[in-house]
């Protein structure tokens, strides 16, 4: 279909990572990310600081992505950028930069929905990673999102479940904060969970209708549980940290897999894909594997560098939209609340 050489630059700046990637046809040539360490001191992303850091990072990150890919600006076929959802101040930096670059080079500009990109990251050509067949279910789980999406085609997606309060990554991070762990706490909880007993402590699961999620109640339950136990034993956390982490992770994975099972049953779809930073979690990976033998699922987990926020996923959407000639104009605006 395309004997041409299509080179797309992808730019991502929706939250606290400034990222740029170059894709040649379907294959990633470079994928550069500048993480913003500054937020660790605050235990969460500070929007104003994120926006300022994006402004400092964007030129060197794009420059590095082009250099690493061995591609010059003049070879680019189009510039793709994250239009939303995300933090307005952060999105504006990537949007303005992409607009000026495309204008200066006189090439098409492509706007990308960040949530669609997390899902379409599965369509990057990568040895050892299969692309899910349509229709499939995608569960996007990260610090900012928790959704189950029915994917009928590349750009025909339907959100069939989502969180009504906190995202699942926040559930990990906020629980970790209560335990005195650093930010983000997800990876540390995962590590400790492997050494603990998941049945040691019981936390009740929220009752939410349909395929939606809720995580704010869990955070409160953990807070009260810790306050109560620490009153009896001031060393409770230190003495039981691995068991507490294992029990929290077990509860969170249970909440996710219950809804995934329900979604698969209701839609009759057994192709299940995950994406977002929390898909690095060993518990959710194991639960998906179990689903293969228990429920006949075929599961898809992208390469790690394409699961957390990155620009390769923006570039692949740019490529797919380029093939459809689905371009935007210089009037396009960032949209912090963009929906799928
Ligand atoms: O996708 P991501 O890098 O950024 C966005 O939030 O968009 O996801 C970051 C989230 C954080 O909440 C972090 O704690 C969580 O992913 N996370 C994990 C693990 N690795 C990262 N949560 C549980 N287990 C992990 N291994
Ligand atoms: Zn994301």
């Amino acid at each position: 279909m395309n004997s041409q050489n299509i080179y797309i630059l992808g730019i991502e700046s929706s939250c606290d990572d400034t990222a740029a990637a170059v894709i040649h046809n379907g294959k990633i040539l470079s994928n550069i990310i500048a993480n913003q360490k500054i937020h660790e001191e605050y235990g969460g992303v500070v929007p104003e600081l994120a926006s300022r850091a994006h402004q400092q990072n964007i030129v060197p990150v794009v420059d590095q992505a082009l250099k690493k890919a061995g591609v010059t600006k003049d070879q680019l076929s189009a510039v793709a950028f994250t239009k939303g959802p995300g933090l307005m101040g952060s999105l504006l930096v990537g949007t303005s930069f992409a607009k000026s670059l495309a204008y200066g080079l006189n090439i098409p500009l492509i706007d990308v929905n960040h949530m669609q990109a997390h899902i379409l990251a599965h369509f990057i050509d990568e040895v050892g990673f299969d692309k899910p067949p349509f229709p499939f279910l995608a569960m996007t789980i990260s610090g900012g999102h928790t959704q189950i999406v029915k994917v009928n085609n590349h750009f025909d997606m339907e959100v069939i479940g989502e969180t009504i309060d906190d995202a699942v990554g926040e559930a990990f991070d906020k629980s970790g904060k209560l335990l005195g762990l650093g930010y983000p706490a997800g990876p540390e909880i995962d590590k400790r969970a492997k050494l603990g007993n998941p049945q040691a402590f019981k936390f009740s699961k929220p009752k939410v209708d349909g395929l939606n999620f809720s995580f704010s109640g869990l955070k409160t339950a953990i807070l009260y549980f810790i306050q109560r136990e620490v009153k009896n034993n001031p060393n409770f956390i230190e003495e039981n940290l691995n068991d507490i982490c294992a029990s929290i992770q077990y509860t969170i994975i249970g909440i996710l897999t219950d809804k995934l099972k329900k979604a698969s049953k209701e839609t009759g779809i057994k192709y299940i894909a995950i994406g977002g930073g929390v898909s690095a979690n060993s518990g959710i990976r194991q639960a998906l594997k179990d689903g293969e033998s228990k429920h006949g699922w075929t599961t898809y987990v992208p390469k790690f560098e394409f699961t957390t926020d990155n620009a390769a996923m923006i570039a692949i959407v740019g490529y797919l939209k380029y093939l459809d000639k689905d371009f935007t104009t210089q009037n396009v605006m960032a949209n912090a609340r963009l929906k799928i």
Side-chain angles (χ1 to χ4, degrees), residues 122-144:
H122 286 275
F123 292 87
I124 292 171
D125 283 343
E126 190 66 42
V127 179
F129 292 83
D130 293 335
K131 301 179 172 93
F134 300 115
F136 65 92
L137 293 178
M139 187 166 73
T140 320
I141 42 178
S142 77

Side-chain angles (χ1 to χ4, degrees), residues 118 142-145 169-170 172-173 184-187 190 276-278 280-281 307-309:
H118 268 300
S142 77
H145 350 274
E170 285 179 282
F172 274 104
D173 297 338
D190 190 6
V278 179
N281 184 268
T307 63
T308 53
D309 283 352

Side-chain angles (χ1 to χ4, degrees), residues 33-44:
I33 300 186
N35 296 109
Q36 301 179 359
K37 288 264 170 261
I38 181 94
H39 306 288
E40 282 172 18
E41 297 167 31
Y42 297 89

Side-chain angles (χ1 to χ4, degrees), residues 45-304:
V45 177
V46 184
E48 182 51 37
L49 296 179
S51 174
R52 221 175 299 161
H54 281 306
Q55 291 173 39
Q56 285 164 359
N57 293 342
I58 191 126
V59 173
V61 164
V62 167
D63 195 45
Q64 228 181 312
L66 289 168
K67 279 210 179 90
K68 176 103 190 287
V71 168
T72 63
K73 288 199 290 287
D74 299 327
Q75 283 176 281
L76 292 176
S77 316
V79 181
F81 69 96
T82 304
K83 175 180 172 176
L87 301 169
M88 196 42 146
S90 292
L91 290 166
L92 278 173
V93 178
T95 305
S96 318
F97 185 88
K99 277 184 176 183
S100 342
L101 187 62
Y103 185 74
L105 295 170
N106 196 21
I107 54 176
L109 179 65
I110 300 172
D111 58 334
V112 175
N113 179 310
H114 179 92
M115 298 308 296
Q116 283 192 342
H118 268 300
I119 296 169
L120 295 174
H122 286 275
F123 292 87
I124 292 171
D125 283 343
E126 190 66 42
V127 179
F129 292 83
D130 293 335
K131 301 179 172 93
F134 300 115
F136 65 92
L137 293 178
M139 187 166 73
T140 320
I141 42 178
S142 77
H145 350 274
T146 310
Q147 288 189 330
I148 300 180
V149 181
K150 180 166 173 270
V151 187
N152 302 315
N153 216 318
H154 290 134
F155 297 106
D156 177 6
M157 301 185 184
E158 198 184 328
V159 178
I160 57 174
E162 64 189 327
T163 183
I164 57 169
D165 42 56
D166 289 350
V168 59
E170 285 179 282
F172 274 104
D173 297 338
K174 290 179 178 175
S175 309
K177 196 169 181 183
L178 295 172
L179 298 170
L181 304 179
Y183 172 85
E188 175 83 12
I189 292 182
D190 190 6
K191 209 163 81 193
R192 290 186 172 276
K194 289 183 191 143
L195 308 169
N197 172 9
Q199 316 278 356
F201 308 105
K202 287 256 174 298
F203 301 106
S204 58
K205 287 190 213 158
K207 293 186 179 44
V208 190
D209 285 345
L211 297 171
N212 284 340
F213 301 92
S214 167
F215 290 100
S216 65
L218 178 65
K219 177 188 61 195
T220 315
I222 293 168
L223 171 68
Y224 289 155
F225 163 78
I226 289 172
Q227 283 176 342
R228 200 172 57 232
E229 295 293 339
V230 167
K231 219 184 226 170
N232 296 331
N233 171 11
N235 299 324
F236 176 77
I237 295 179
E238 297 86 275
E239 287 170 11
N240 297 280
L241 193 52
N242 292 344
D243 284 349
I244 303 171
C245 288
S247 303
I248 291 173
Q249 180 162 309
Y250 180 79
T251 310
I252 293 176
I253 303 299
I255 295 171
L256 294 176
T257 47
D258 282 356
K259 296 290 177 162
L260 207 45
K261 274 190 272 183
K262 194 170 156 73
S264 170
K265 215 167 167 187
E266 282 179 9
T267 58
I269 297 171
K270 288 177 186 279
Y271 298 117
I272 314 276
I274 56 169
V278 179
S279 54
N281 184 268
S282 59
I284 189 71
R285 284 170 178 244
Q286 187 57 48
L288 287 191
K289 276 239 156 340
D290 295 346
E292 299 205 331
S293 49
K294 269 199 229 159
H295 314 298
W297 293 350
T298 308
T299 63
Y300 301 83
V301 183
K303 195 175 176 188
F304 180 70

